[in-house]
Amino acid sequence: MDELYMARCIELARKGVGVTAPNPMVGCVIVHEDRIIGEGYHQEYGQAHAEVNAIASVKETELLEDSTLYVNLEPCSHFGKTPPCSWLIIEKGIRNIVIGSMDPNPLIAGNGVRQLEENSCTVQSGILEKECLNLNKRFFTYHKKKRPWILLKWARTKDGFIDRERGGIEDRGGLEERGVNWITGKHARQLVHKWRSEVQSILVGTHTALVDDPELTVRDWQGKNPLRLVIDRKGILPEPLKLFNGKTDTLVFTSSDAYNSAGVKNRKNLEYVLLPDEKDYLPLILKHLYKLEIQSIMIEGGAALLNSCIESGLWDEARVFTGDVSFGSGVPSPEIPGEPSETLSEGPDRLEIFRNF
């Protein structure tokens, strides 16, 4: 039965997708004699944790001392925006605790279990551990690898192209040709907006910003806009681009001091981050995002940026659409060696998911 109740914890935890970061997604179930008497989940960053909500939902509080608390992540043991959940569990007299996975956060990292055990609690861990780790892969990657979890996303045509040839950076991509050359259908595009609502940040390179003029916001789905990120090494991106429309927070990574020009530095919701002019920008960007507690990033960049990620091994998951169109010629699609972990149909399009973890 332990697996059944842990699966319910995971189901509850998923309700917090896109709104709990930088906290993990956590669900909690309280069981008395094979009957669920309370359950809850972490609903939003800064609000009560799953264990608090589950305990508060119990009407027959006299049963708590003879109940088992299930939670997919080790209870917290420190004061953050809320008091420690381990203390609350001890205070309420719950003596049996079943945990899916341990917490990698150095502030916790076993301390929650230690506090419980030192106060006469019996703790069992590792129930559906693989599923629990996958649920919070962004959180675990951030704490273990000291960088955000990296999702690559692109679409390619049936004949293997990611875009048409539309000029180079030197001529600013031909501004008269700006706009996306759509490869996928409406259903796939809606799914991408759902993914945007689930990550904390989204990155494109200079060329994509210039020729596609993307807005990188959540419009075909309900949810928060990710932090927009764009690489502009030489400071050449023009002001009319949608990335500079002020609708949501945007960071521009550059090696140029052009951002100091009049009118540029005062744009709404826009910040320039000056980086050394190194060939490989991505590690510098990831280091900056780690300091900002950004735990996830979706890279929707062009072929050059995507290929750089693949070649360096700096990616955790790739989601690749193949649309029902052909270009005949154009920019070749990036390729990931090996077979996809999953292949799905999304309307007329095919979605392949590759994993690097």
Side-chain angles (χ1 to χ4, degrees):
M1 295 295 285
D2 287 345
E3 287 79 8
L4 177 65
Y5 295 129
M6 190 60 67
R8 177 56 178 163
C9 290
I10 294 172
E11 183 180 24
L12 288 167
R14 290 189 191 281
K15 293 184 177 183
V17 65
V19 293
T20 63
N23 285 351
M25 294 178 284
V26 183
C28 180
V29 173
I30 301 173
V31 179
H32 180 266
E33 296 183 351
D34 291 332
R35 178 171 67 95
I36 294 178
I37 63 172
E39 59 182 27
Y41 68 98
H42 185 30
Q43 298 180 11
E44 189 173 342
Y45 175 66
Q47 296 186 6
H49 289 186
E51 299 93 324
V52 176
N53 289 330
I55 290 171
S57 75
V58 176
K59 292 183 173 59
E60 302 166 276
T61 55
E62 69 277 6
L63 300 180
L64 284 173
E65 292 187 6
D66 296 316
S67 298
T68 298
L69 182 145
Y70 292 83
V71 63
N72 60 283
L73 188 71
E74 177 185 9
C76 67
S77 55
H78 71 292
F79 281 91
K81 288 186 176 293
T82 60
C85 291
S86 57
W87 287 14
L88 178 64
I89 293 169
I90 294 165
E91 176 190 328
K92 295 299 180 179
I94 303 171
R95 293 291 176 258
N96 295 308
I97 297 92
V98 179
I99 297 169
S101 59
M102 302 297 284
D103 193 324
N105 186 340
L107 294 173
I108 304 170
N111 288 324
V113 169
R114 179 182 56 77
Q115 286 184 4
L116 292 168
E117 291 179 336
E118 288 177 351
N119 285 273
S120 303
C121 295
T122 299
V123 181
Q124 181 182 1
S125 63
I127 305 301
L128 294 186
E129 185 175 27
K130 182 178 179 181
E131 291 83 353
C132 292
L133 293 173
N134 185 61
L135 170 71
N136 281 308
K137 54 195 173 187
R138 296 162 172 82
F139 179 76
F140 282 95
T141 297
Y142 176 82
H143 285 289
K144 290 184 175 182
K145 296 187 177 181
K146 309 301 181 186
R147 64 162 174 80
W149 179 81
I150 303 170
L151 168 62
L152 309 182
K153 170 264 164 185
W154 73 91
R156 62 189 175 195
T157 62
K158 288 191 297 184
D159 52 352
F161 297 103
I162 195 174
D163 198 2
R164 302 181 189 277
E165 292 287 356
R166 290 191 283 172
I169 294 297
E170 295 76 13
D171 60 7
R172 297 197 171 182
L175 293 183
E176 73 283 351
E177 297 179 8
R178 274 189 303 173
V180 179
N181 282 314
W182 290 112
I183 294 173
T184 56
K186 181 179 179 181
H187 187 269
R189 293 198 290 271
Q190 185 179 38
L191 186 58
V192 171
H193 282 239
K194 177 179 182 291
W195 295 343
R196 289 178 181 177
S197 74
E198 296 172 352
V199 296
Q200 286 183 273
S201 63
I202 183 168
L203 172 69
V204 294
T206 310
H207 189 268
T208 297
L210 206 51
V211 300
D212 283 357
D213 193 17
E215 189 167 323
L216 303 184
T217 55
V218 177
R219 302 183 301 281
D220 294 335
W221 197 263
Q222 189 172 18
K224 292 166 54 177
N225 289 324
L227 174 66
R228 298 188 296 195
L229 312 169
V230 60
I231 298 172
D232 185 16
R233 288 178 182 270
K234 301 178 181 179
I236 67 170
L237 293 179
E239 189 170 350
L241 292 179
K242 293 173 185 174
L243 283 170
F244 301 141
N245 60 17
K247 288 187 177 181
T248 192
D249 290 343
T250 305
L251 297 185
V252 181
F253 294 97
T254 185
S255 297
S256 168
D257 62 359
Y259 69 94
N260 284 321
S261 61
V264 173
K265 62 181 178 181
N266 294 320
R267 292 178 189 166
K268 182 181 177 182
N269 292 332
L270 185 65
E271 180 183 344
Y272 281 76
V273 179
L274 191 63
L275 296 177
D277 191 14
E278 297 185 14
K279 183 178 180 181
D280 192 356
Y281 244 32
L282 192 57
L284 300 176
I285 292 173
L286 296 177
K287 184 176 181 180
H288 185 81
L289 295 179
Y290 177 78
K291 292 178 180 178
L292 296 179
E293 294 190 313
I294 299 296
Q295 295 183 357
S296 57
I297 179 173
M298 181 159 72
I299 298 180
E300 287 198 37
L305 180 55
L306 292 167
N307 278 322
S308 175
C309 294
I310 295 168
E311 291 166 6
S312 65
L314 276 175
W315 64 282
D316 298 291
E317 188 170 308
R319 300 174 186 173
V320 184
F321 288 104
T322 300
D324 192 27
V325 299
S326 298
F327 284 169
S329 64
V331 180
S333 170
E335 296 291 339
I336 294 180
E339 296 298 317
S341 301
E342 292 181 62
T343 300
L344 308 169
S345 294
E346 299 295 340
D349 308 309
R350 184 175 80 248
L351 172 61
E352 295 175 318
I353 300 175
F354 298 83
R355 295 190 173 94
N356 192 32
F357 60 90

